[in-house]
Amino acid sequence: TASLNRLPVFEPTLKPRFRERSFENTYGKVFVIGRLGQDHKNVLETILYKRKVYKSYKDKENNRCFEVLYDEYEVRKYLSKESVYCKTGYQNLIEDMKQAYIKIETRELIAEGNLIADKTLSGIYSKKTKSNLPDLKGEKIPYAVLKLGSVTNLLISEELRFTYDPKPIMMLRSGISQAVVRYLETQRRHPKLGYHLKDLIENIQDNVEGQNWYNIKTHLKEDVEGLKAIGITIDFKKERLYVVNNQIML
């Protein structure tokens, strides 16, 4: 949803720490207690992108809720840059999203709670194993069911929703590059003369001065080719970012 990309609910890093943080920009305010970074966003986006089925229902308070059925192995394989994403790492990211407390305030809504309420196994099976090991051969592999949390449910119900393939974003090497692309995806039009790079980054990062600014530009330079493939070029001398042909190719 728009707020999950326009506000740094997920920090623009691949190495977030558990902490309490708050941030405000022109789109609203966000307060987070927990550990949430771009890898967490990669997992959530991939699950929603690769979902098999989703259902919507009303809870006891008449709030709209969502559940998603998906193949965990397929998601972990899609997340990986090589073979299959580490199962323990994937499970830890899910747990972080269950535990984190988030409060989002925009002109249209106030949402607070968690991103994920629970993850369970379904009674529906995706396939049987083909292992040669006697204790695994022929075992049925159940689909997972992700029950979305109160924040995600309200955002999906009430604000701008859009879909894109998260793979090109996940292939970028730095969290700041991933966060920039996600933020730009929410903009309907991009200025022909480009964005002033520092002004753009200030929408998702709270410290863009001194050494931090140097580090941000270093990370963006490492992703120059990946960003170019998506449709984004950066002139580091002028410190301006351009979206080619007003379109990001995802």
Side-chain angles (χ1 to χ4, degrees):
T1 72
S3 288
L4 289 179
N5 283 33
R6 287 175 175 170
L7 292 165
V9 176
F10 302 88
E11 288 189 79
T13 177
L14 299 178
K15 297 179 180 180
R17 295 178 290 107
F18 184 97
R19 65 191 183 103
E20 181 179 308
R21 55 188 172 88
S22 58
F23 188 92
E24 183 175 356
N25 64 18
T26 56
Y27 294 104
K29 302 177 184 178
V30 62
F31 174 75
V32 177
I33 301 174
R35 187 175 78 99
L36 294 175
Q38 293 301 299
D39 272 341
H40 296 82
K41 188 74 155 71
N42 291 337
V43 170
L44 184 59
E45 285 187 348
T46 300
I47 290 172
L48 296 176
Y49 183 70
K50 301 294 284 185
R51 70 185 187 274
K52 301 298 180 183
V53 180
Y54 82 92
K55 72 173 183 178
S56 169
Y57 61 94
K58 295 289 185 72
D59 64 12
K60 293 178 182 179
E61 286 74 40
N62 206 37
N63 298 312
R64 194 177 179 196
C65 302
F66 298 90
E67 288 185 0
V68 179
L69 185 79
Y70 68 100
D71 184 324
E72 288 191 280
Y73 179 81
E74 183 179 316
V75 163
R76 285 172 47 226
K77 188 174 181 181
Y78 203 76
L79 282 166
S80 177
K81 294 182 180 180
E82 295 177 1
S83 55
V84 178
Y85 199 86
C86 170
K87 186 175 182 179
T88 302
Y90 153 80
Q91 291 173 336
N92 288 340
L93 293 170
I94 294 284
E95 193 62 30
D96 285 343
M97 287 189 279
K98 287 171 60 178
Q99 297 298 326
Y101 169 81
I102 299 117
K103 184 174 182 179
I104 292 174
E105 294 184 43
T106 71
R107 280 173 290 186
E108 291 77 26
L109 58 81
I110 297 177
E112 63 179 312
N114 55 7
L115 295 166
I116 294 175
D118 200 11
K119 182 180 76 70
T120 58
L121 296 178
S122 167
I124 303 171
Y125 299 93
S126 60
K127 55 192 170 187
K128 291 185 177 182
T129 60
K130 297 180 181 179
S131 173
N132 293 323
L133 298 175
D135 58 335
L136 290 179
K137 188 174 182 181
E139 283 290 311
K140 292 180 180 179
I141 302 175
Y143 285 110
V145 177
L146 196 74
K147 185 178 181 180
L148 300 182
S150 54
V151 170
T152 318
N153 285 329
L154 184 61
L155 292 177
I156 290 175
S157 299
E158 300 294 333
E159 69 169 36
L160 173 66
R161 302 174 299 276
F162 50 99
T163 302
Y164 52 81
D165 182 355
K167 189 71 172 184
I169 298 177
M170 294 188 292
M171 296 303 290
L172 296 171
R173 298 170 62 182
S174 73
I176 190 69
S177 299
Q178 293 184 10
V180 165
V181 177
R182 288 182 165 119
Y183 175 84
L184 290 172
E185 267 293 317
T186 70
Q187 308 304 304
R188 296 186 184 277
R189 290 188 178 86
H190 306 286
K192 291 182 180 179
L193 297 178
Y195 294 89
H196 190 278
L197 189 58
K198 185 175 282 191
D199 291 346
L200 175 62
I201 299 297
E202 283 178 339
N203 285 291
I204 54 175
Q205 178 88 37
D206 57 4
N207 185 350
V208 293
E209 301 298 333
Q211 185 63 39
N212 278 347
W213 181 234
Y214 176 82
N215 293 339
I216 287 168
K217 288 191 290 184
T218 298
H219 290 313
L220 290 171
K221 286 175 182 178
E222 292 171 351
D223 278 318
V224 163
E225 293 304 318
L227 290 168
K228 190 179 294 185
I230 291 173
I232 296 169
T233 61
I234 302 176
D235 184 330
F236 288 97
K237 288 184 178 180
K238 295 180 180 179
E239 293 193 349
R240 297 196 77 84
L241 179 147
Y242 304 89
V243 177
V244 181
N245 297 325
N246 202 43
Q247 185 177 3
I248 296 174
M249 295 172 285
L250 294 178

